[in-house]
Amino acid sequence: MAVPVNELSRLPLLAGLPQVTLAHLAQHATERSFAKREVVLQKGGDGASFCFLLEGRLQGVDFTADGREVGLYFVASGDYFGDLAVIDGLPHPIYVTAVSRSRVVFVPRDLIRPILFAHAKVAEILCTGLSLRLRQVSGQRRILGLANPLQRVCAQLELLFVKDADGKVQVPNAPTHQEIAIMINASRETVTRVFQLLQSRGIVERNGNHMNIDDPAFLEDVAAGRRQPE
Amino acid sequence: MAVPVNELSRLPLLAGLPQVTLAHLAQHATERSFAKREVVLQKGGDGASFCFLLEGRLQGVDFTADGREVGLYFVASGDYFGDLAVIDGLPHPIYVTAVSRSRVVFVPRDLIRPILFAHAKVAEILCTGLSLRLRQVSGQRRILGLANPLQRVCAQLELLFVKDADGKVQVPNAPTHQEIAIMINASRETVTRVFQLLQSRGIVERNGNHMNIDDPAFLEDVAAGRRQPE
């Protein structure tokens, strides 16, 4: 069950590849849809395929040794995932689950692996992606060194927000309270309480799927322990 | 102040490069020695150089927003570091400091960056290295989800130990109590107390620079919250 070539050529990682290479990959690739909450990749599974998300949203999750869920990163439409196991040959380090209904393309490992390293542009994108993810996970790890959950929520928002050209600060596709809770080792209830506090102070406000950060300096100060709200 | 070519050709990342490429890199590389505790790379600095550790031992460290030290990973002799900023063009995400007296080679970014992606073997080693580091940091992050420091020490030792061909389990170059403390968000005193407990039960024992793990199953059980010592 091949995948249309134009689905692959639209993916940023593969866009620069010769048409003949893309056609070869497409011919051996398969596509599958996943319902919300369905597991896309099993932790411990082997890296039989390199995966691309065509549509939807996924989250890399894991569990502590004593069974609590830990949220690690999100996969957005157009991104690839399952790359670690393909690259280093070890089992998938975490679960990847669908946060919303998702369409995924699987490309067999043995077919795509040599291509990843043989094309300088692909290797550059891959290395850059790994590098950015490493920064993100390290930043996440740094947040967990903070003593109280209020600080951790503020530091997490700092990691997630982006500033647009007009200087407006926003968290695009803001995670739910539960999703934030498992990123920062806190209960969902605690995260909700922190957001009620931040909203009542006019620091953040919900804006459809996004979250406006009206006072980013306040978040920084709280994260750094320099200021207590109220 | 060039570096001898044979110093570079012995480095695993560069070993497969043509002699002429190595000679070119060596000609523009510089070498510097660092005393114990000296800072080798500043957090926030730009990735002007790709760095190799010729001799010694380094640690990537950072500080939480409220100023506590966080240990992230070690660099061993022959490894490279400072690669993230060279790859993705963002500032160095953390400090790298010398754990012992160290000799470091600096290769200018603009010279080495294209070479990293143009040679399939180099790209493969680089991607594999990033992949393994990502697993390590994620594993570290998972440990911090554990409620008590005893569990975290045991889970940390699980991450660090290696099994040799005879089935003997060992942590090579075992980190100090202070180094472990900053990896797992605990005080040095707490880590020392945990080790006294584990040693008195015959679970672990010091062996020169290394640490023998005499009962790895016990560590797993404690990390998973299935068993309490005593």
Side-chain angles (χ1 to χ4, degrees):
Chain A
M1 217 181 57
V3 169
V5 180
N6 68 346
E7 294 267 37
L8 294 192
S9 63
R10 262 182 308 189
L11 297 166
L13 181 68
L14 305 182
L17 288 178
Q19 199 63 18
V20 57
T21 308
L22 284 171
H24 186 57
L25 291 178
Q27 200 189 332
H28 294 87
T30 51
E31 190 192 313
R32 217 194 113 183
S33 290
F34 292 87
K36 183 172 172 171
R37 292 187 192 286
E38 208 177 339
V39 175
V40 180
L41 287 183
Q42 288 284 352
K43 176 175 174 174
D46 68 346
S49 308
F50 195 93
C51 314
F52 295 93
L53 179 62
L54 294 184
E55 208 185 304
R57 185 166 162 86
L58 309 174
Q59 186 175 24
V61 298
D62 200 357
F63 297 88
T64 60
D66 56 0
R68 267 172 307 149
E69 195 180 9
V70 170
L72 291 164
Y73 61 86
F74 291 101
V75 180
S77 168
D79 285 352
Y80 53 87
F81 61 100
D83 49 337
L84 297 198
V86 168
I87 290 169
D88 64 24
L90 296 174
H92 289 304
I94 56 167
Y95 299 89
V96 177
T97 62
V99 176
S100 60
R101 181 164 180 77
S102 297
R103 269 199 314 137
V104 174
V105 160
F106 297 87
V107 184
R109 169 194 160 103
D110 294 343
L111 203 66
I112 198 169
R113 195 173 185 280
I115 293 168
L116 297 174
F117 307 127
H119 296 263
K121 195 65 208 168
V122 177
E124 182 177 2
I125 296 176
L126 200 62
C127 282
T128 305
L130 287 165
S131 178
L132 295 174
R133 230 152 81 209
L134 198 48
R135 287 177 187 269
Q136 205 183 5
V137 178
S138 303
Q140 201 72 49
R141 190 250 166 272
R142 206 157 53 234
I143 287 177
L144 297 179
L146 294 170
N148 77 64
L150 171 65
Q151 281 181 294
R152 296 205 294 274
V153 170
C154 291
Q156 183 67 54
L157 290 175
E158 268 192 276
L159 257 198
L160 294 173
F161 72 53
V162 289
K163 205 175 263 190
D164 71 12
D166 308 330
K168 234 180 85 175
V169 181
Q170 217 177 40
V171 178
N173 298 312
T176 64
H177 293 180
Q178 174 59 18
E179 284 163 6
I180 290 179
I182 62 171
M183 291 163 104
I184 65 161
N185 280 359
S187 68
R188 205 270 308 147
E189 292 74 14
T190 301
V191 173
T192 298
R193 265 200 307 279
V194 169
F195 272 108
Q196 282 165 350
L197 182 73
L198 294 175
Q199 277 159 350
S200 71
R201 295 284 180 286
I203 313 299
V204 307
E205 61 180 327
R206 200 77 198 185
N207 175 8
N209 278 332
H210 312 303
M211 182 178 288
N212 296 340
I213 308 290
D214 297 323
D215 190 348
F218 187 94
L219 293 184
E220 278 172 45
D221 284 350
V222 172
R226 287 191 297 267
R227 181 150 37 160
Q228 293 276 2
E230 183 187 41
Chain B
M1 216 182 58
V3 168
V5 180
N6 68 346
E7 293 267 35
L8 295 192
S9 63
R10 260 182 308 189
L11 297 165
L13 182 68
L14 305 182
L17 288 177
Q19 199 63 18
V20 56
T21 308
L22 284 171
H24 186 57
L25 290 178
Q27 198 189 334
H28 294 87
T30 52
E31 189 191 314
R32 218 194 113 185
S33 289
F34 292 87
K36 183 172 173 171
R37 294 188 189 282
E38 207 177 341
V39 175
V40 180
L41 287 183
Q42 288 284 351
K43 177 176 175 174
D46 68 347
S49 307
F50 195 94
C51 315
F52 295 92
L53 179 63
L54 293 184
E55 207 185 305
R57 185 167 162 86
L58 310 174
Q59 187 175 23
V61 298
D62 199 357
F63 297 88
T64 60
D66 57 0
R68 267 172 306 149
E69 194 179 9
V70 170
L72 291 164
Y73 61 86
F74 291 101
V75 180
S77 167
D79 285 352
Y80 53 88
F81 62 100
D83 49 335
L84 297 197
V86 168
I87 290 169
D88 65 24
L90 295 173
H92 289 305
I94 56 168
Y95 299 89
V96 177
T97 62
V99 176
S100 61
R101 180 163 181 78
S102 297
R103 269 201 313 136
V104 174
V105 160
F106 297 87
V107 183
R109 168 195 161 101
D110 295 343
L111 203 67
I112 197 170
R113 195 173 186 280
I115 292 169
L116 297 174
F117 307 127
H119 295 264
K121 196 65 209 166
V122 178
E124 182 176 3
I125 296 175
L126 199 61
C127 282
T128 305
L130 287 165
S131 178
L132 294 174
R133 230 152 81 208
L134 199 47
R135 287 176 187 270
Q136 204 182 8
V137 178
S138 304
Q140 201 71 50
R141 189 252 167 267
R142 208 158 50 236
I143 288 176
L144 297 179
L146 294 170
N148 77 63
L150 171 65
Q151 281 181 293
R152 296 205 294 275
V153 170
C154 291
Q156 183 67 55
L157 291 176
E158 267 193 275
L159 257 197
L160 295 173
F161 70 52
V162 289
K163 203 175 267 191
D164 71 12
D166 308 330
K168 234 180 86 175
V169 181
Q170 218 178 38
V171 177
N173 298 311
T176 64
H177 293 182
Q178 173 61 17
E179 284 162 6
I180 290 179
I182 63 171
M183 291 163 104
I184 64 160
N185 281 357
S187 69
R188 205 271 307 147
E189 292 74 11
T190 300
V191 173
T192 297
R193 265 201 307 277
V194 169
F195 272 108
Q196 282 164 349
L197 182 72
L198 294 174
Q199 276 159 350
S200 71
R201 294 284 180 289
I203 313 297
V204 309
E205 60 180 327
R206 199 79 199 186
N207 175 8
N209 278 332
H210 313 301
M211 180 179 289
N212 296 341
I213 309 289
D214 297 322
D215 191 347
F218 187 93
L219 292 184
E220 277 172 45
D221 285 348
V222 173
R226 288 190 296 268
R227 180 149 38 161
Q228 295 274 4
E230 185 187 36

